[in-house]
Structure formats: structure tokens, C-alpha cells
Amino acid sequence: MTLSTAMTENLVCTEIAGRSVRELAEKYGTPTYVYDAEKIVQQIERLRSFDVIRYAQKANSNLAVLDLMRRLGVVVDAVSVGEIYRAHRAGFPYKAGENDPAPIVYTADIFDREALDWIEKHRVHPNLGSPDMIDQFGERCPGRDVTLRINPGFGHGHSQKTNTGGASSKHGIWHEDLDDCLARAAKYDLTISGLHMHIGSGTDFEHLAQVCQAMEEMALRVGPQLKTISAGGGLPTPYRNEDEEIDIERYYALWDATRQRLATEFEHPLSLEIEPGRYPVAQAGFLIAEIRAIKTMGENLFYLLDAGFNNLARPILYGAYHPMSVAHRVPRESAKTQEVVVGGPLCESGDIFTQTDGGLVVRRNLPVAEVGDFVVIGGAGAYGFVMGSNYNSKPFAAEVLLDQDGDHLVRQREPVSDLCRLESIPVRQ
Ligand code: LLP
């Protein structure tokens, strides 16, 4: 069985996009992230109705993924100097050609000093998420175009931690402060060419739909200087068999109607952007790990992997569910399964992939396996590698991209010797 396109939970998974899991694991070692380029392409194609697809690279900023996006005509969002740097390394120019969308937009709620320097120097288009950002940018770069990110006063996400709207969220300019912000922008002769809202990650259609109305109200207050409206990201993707795919065309129709009304009012066309992170890449990514120990703790049977929350933090952070399968090193006839807890190598009890929000350890029905077999964790292409860490001095995993030309190592496994590369012991007299 193959885990190539759908997020179907095949409990035994011998192939990813037609490549043998065992061979990938033997060639690249474990833990290794594997990305199916074809799936990324498919997901992007589903979003083509939008004028501009702006990939939120925070979800997966490997250069090879960014390069693929660029070749697909997708532009990017960046939230840090590091992400601007990555985008540029992957071939995105810093600033737009005439009438093109900004290839890179910097979206944040603060400018650290380095970011402000880069944005001034390279003329990267900023999406300003606080009144202070308007002042700081205006002083340095008067007369330029900016986007304002508005917090419409409500939000929603798959977890409270990914809800980016409402009064408990630090994101965006509070909707009631818009007039003050318009005055600030005017003081520096900034043109507000874009308006942006992003209410949360992993939300649902109903909540996403509410944003259109809030956008329309805010856009009318900004007026005809607006050229672009952005629906933000937040598109959900299925992680469980029972999760439904979002109806993109229905979602587009809502936004298109909003955009058309604004265009009529402003008497010029408006560009409609979408800014997904999870949607293009989540289902394209798999984390392959090896089972290194199997042990019983009272009533629980544990499969302990060589990957932990240093590689994939979503379960410990959000109680996030990821589909899992087993790839036997030696294929088996029997499809017998058992209830297991799946954990990693780290020195914390929370290092468990099968947990719910709040840290409750749960069991998962997985094929009977032995030490040396592999577990394939699906839905790992978004917020997987990028949220990894060196905790317990574990090196970062390798990353491999699969496409029609074969399998490509797109990030080497971090060598242990690199762990101390930037450190030094004080020289003492
Ligand atoms: N735009 C902005 C301004 C954002 O803050 C985000 C996500 C996105 C777009 C992309 O959202 P998406 O389409 O991926 O839902 N680590 C969490 C998700 C955090 C999302 C942060 N911002 C997770 O693993 O679920």
C-alpha cells in the first residue's frame, strides 16, 4: 500500500509516492523527512482560482520546497530575516517588478532591528501588524507601499495556540485602531496598498467565511488606495480519515464576491491573495523513524522510535493527531495489529506521538512489529521539520524530496560535530 496522495490510514505502508520506505530508510538513515513533490503540486493547483498564492513558508521552508513553489508561480510570506534570506536563496527577488505581486512579503507584529534594516535595504514589502511597526517603518522608509494586518476581533484555530484573532491574540492591528493607523500611515506618506487578515491555523469553513465581511468593512474604511486583499492562511487539511477536505471553490466564491464589491466601489480591480502554509505541504510530508525498542509498561505496549518531539513537536504542543503506519523491514504475510503507545528517545515523559491535548497518553492500533521495523508518520510536511530542535543534543533529521526525477537529499542529517560549532569554552588565564 502507498501513502502517496490521500491521507488514508493504511496501517501498513511499504511505499511513499512509489518509493520503498525500507529503501529510503536504508539509503538516508532515520529519522528522515520525505516530501512528495507531486502532492505539493496537486495542492497548489487546487488554489489556482486565487490571483496570488502566497505560500506561508513557516510551514516548511526547505530550499527545495521554496524552489518548487517558485517554479509553480507561487510567491512567499516571510516572518523573519531568516525566511527572507531563504526565499532569496531559493530564487525569489526581494521586490516586485512592475505590476507583479511582491515576491516576498514580511509579515510580523514587530520589526527586530535586523529585519527593519533588511526591509529598508532590499525594499521587501511589509505587512504591518502593530501601530509601532507603522511608525518605525514610516520613519525609515517614508512614501512606500505597505499592507496592514488587521485583527478583526475574532479568531479560530485547531488549538487555542493557533488562534490568531480576538483580544487574547497578539497578532495584527486591532480593528478599532484602524483609523489611528490610517493617520499614522498618512503622516509618513505610506500608501496602504494591501489589507490582510489571518484569524488562525487549522480553522474551519464557517470561521474562515466570517473574515470576508470583516475584510469588506475594513477595506471600505481604507478606501481606493487598496490594490490587494489577502484572505490569510488557515485552510484546514485532513489528518484523520474522517476529516473532510475544505471546499476551496466555495471558499473562493465568497472571497471573490467580496473582492468584486470592493472593486466596484473603488472603481479599479483588486487582487485577491491567499496565504496557506499547511494546505500545500502537510499531506506531502512523512517522517520515517525506526523502532528501536518495544517494551511493556503495565498494560501499555510501547514502540519507541529514534524520532521524538525534537523532530515533530505537534503532538506534544497541541495534542495533534498524525496518521501512522508501519513499514516492516521484512514484509509480513499477517496483518495482525495491536494497541500501542508510540514514543521517542527523549528524556521526557511527554515525548509521545500518541497523545491528546493536555498530554493524555492514548493508544493507537498499529501492526505488530519488531525492533528494526519502521514507523511512517504522515501529515508531517507542515510544521514538522521547521519546529524541530536540538533538544537532548539530537541533530536535525535529514530531508528528502521525491519527484519524477527520483529521490533527492535536500537537507543532510546534521552531523553531531555541528552541534557545538558555534560554541566556545572561555579561555582562562
Ligand atoms: N499567514 C499568517 C500570518 C500566519 O500566521 C500563518 C500561520 C499562516 C499564514 C499559515 O497558516 P496555515 O495555512 O498553515 O494554517 N505550528 C502550528 C501552526 C501555526 C501557524 C502559525 N501561523 C501547527 O503545527 O499547527
Side-chain angles (χ1 to χ4, degrees):
M1 266 177 274
T2 304
L3 267 189
S4 58
T5 48
M7 189 51 62
T8 45
E9 265 186 275
N10 301 318
L11 295 183
V12 172
C13 157
T14 53
E15 291 184 347
I16 297 172
R19 302 335 189 273
S20 152
V21 171
R22 183 179 53 78
E23 282 171 29
L24 287 168
E26 285 172 358
K27 181 166 174 188
Y28 297 106
T30 53
T32 288
Y33 273 96
V34 175
Y35 309 124
D36 174 5
E38 188 48 41
K39 179 64 183 170
I40 297 177
V41 174
Q42 279 171 19
Q43 292 294 95
I44 291 295
E45 291 311 318
R46 291 180 172 169
L47 299 172
R48 287 290 185 200
S49 329
F50 290 84
D51 300 324
V52 175
I53 306 171
R54 183 172 300 288
Y55 172 53
Q57 64 168 292
K58 68 193 82 182
N60 185 332
S61 54
N62 184 287
L63 288 182
V65 172
L66 295 179
D67 168 70
L68 175 59
M69 295 295 179
R70 188 181 51 74
R71 286 185 288 113
L72 291 170
V74 170
V75 290
V76 286
D77 173 64
V79 297
S80 63
V81 165
E83 287 193 354
I84 295 172
Y85 172 75
R86 281 181 174 280
H88 195 61
R89 281 287 304 272
F92 290 93
Y94 289 121
K95 67 183 187 70
E98 190 103 14
N99 298 325
D100 287 340
I104 307 173
V105 167
Y106 174 83
T107 300
D109 300 292
I110 66 150
F111 281 120
D112 57 48
R113 291 180 187 277
E114 196 182 16
L116 195 49
D117 289 346
W118 273 57
I119 284 157
E120 177 182 14
K121 180 169 168 209
H122 298 299
R123 301 189 74 91
V124 172
H125 183 88
N127 178 8
L128 308 173
S130 60
D132 285 312
M133 285 182 86
I134 301 176
D135 292 340
Q136 291 161 11
F137 184 77
E139 271 163 28
R140 293 274 285 268
C141 311
R144 287 201 201 165
D145 280 17
V146 298
T147 293
L148 298 187
R149 175 178 180 180
I150 307 295
N151 177 335
F154 60 87
H156 188 250
H158 70 77
S159 147
Q160 195 40 46
K161 293 171 192 155
T162 66
N163 176 346
T164 57
S168 305
S169 158
K170 65 184 170 127
H171 296 292
I173 289 166
W174 187 245
H175 57 109
E176 290 171 336
D177 292 341
L178 181 62
D179 290 339
D180 167 61
C181 288
L182 294 180
R184 285 176 197 243
K187 182 172 155 204
Y188 302 107
D189 197 25
L190 301 174
T191 301
I192 300 169
S193 59
L195 211 54
H196 170 279
M197 285 184 190
H198 170 79
I199 58 158
S201 195
T203 176
D204 55 37
F205 189 88
E206 274 55 50
H207 287 91
L208 284 170
Q210 291 171 11
V211 182
C212 291
Q213 199 189 345
M215 174 64 85
E216 194 166 336
E217 285 167 25
M218 295 287 134
L220 289 172
R221 279 161 64 188
V222 176
Q225 62 183 311
L226 275 182
K227 296 194 189 93
T228 299
I229 54 171
S230 170
L235 299 176
T237 56
Y239 286 89
R240 299 173 190 260
N241 272 345
E242 63 268 28
D243 290 348
E244 280 178 19
E245 288 275 356
I246 184 165
D247 183 346
I248 296 288
E249 286 314 313
R250 188 168 151 228
Y251 183 56
Y252 171 76
L254 282 175
W255 273 104
D256 187 41
T258 303
R259 176 259 293 274
Q260 299 296 359
R261 282 194 295 274
L262 289 170
T264 306
E265 182 67 29
F266 296 160
E267 296 180 350
H268 63 70
L270 280 152
S271 168
L272 177 57
E273 291 201 358
I274 188 156
E275 193 177 74
R278 187 185 315 274
Y279 189 81
V281 290
Q283 295 168 83
F286 304 87
L287 175 60
I288 306 180
E290 185 183 340
I291 302 176
R292 296 299 305 152
I294 298 180
K295 62 179 180 178
T296 308
M297 296 288 177
E299 294 174 350
N300 285 324
L301 182 66
F302 283 75
Y303 286 178
L304 295 187
L305 314 182
D306 58 4
F309 72 73
N310 57 311
N311 302 112
L312 179 65
R314 301 191 73 254
I316 191 172
L317 278 178
Y318 317 116
Y321 180 96
H322 283 265
M324 281 182 216
S325 321
V326 165
H328 295 112
R329 203 176 273 269
V330 181
R332 294 183 173 213
E333 288 299 308
S334 139
K336 257 177 100 179
T337 61
Q338 57 193 354
E339 296 278 309
V340 293
V341 175
V342 183
L346 305 180
C347 64
E348 287 200 31
S349 306
D351 186 25
I352 294 293
F353 289 116
T354 47
Q355 61 179 297
T356 56
D357 206 7
L360 185 71
V361 171
V362 291
R363 296 185 194 152
R364 187 78 66 92
N365 192 39
L366 282 181
V368 172
E370 55 192 59
V371 170
D373 288 337
F374 305 104
V375 168
V376 179
I377 305 182
Y383 307 110
F385 182 92
V386 288
M387 293 180 77
S389 75
N390 282 134
Y391 187 45
N392 280 199
S393 289
K394 290 280 194 182
F396 275 93
E399 292 175 286
V400 171
L401 183 77
L402 308 180
D403 65 18
Q404 70 277 14
D405 298 329
D407 45 287
H408 313 275
L409 181 63
V410 293
R411 184 177 160 125
Q412 297 175 29
R413 181 174 313 290
E414 190 178 25
V416 172
S417 54
D418 267 18
L419 291 172
C420 304
R421 200 164 48 86
L422 303 174
E423 297 175 27
S424 53
I425 298 171
V427 180
R428 302 186 196 281
Q429 306 301 330

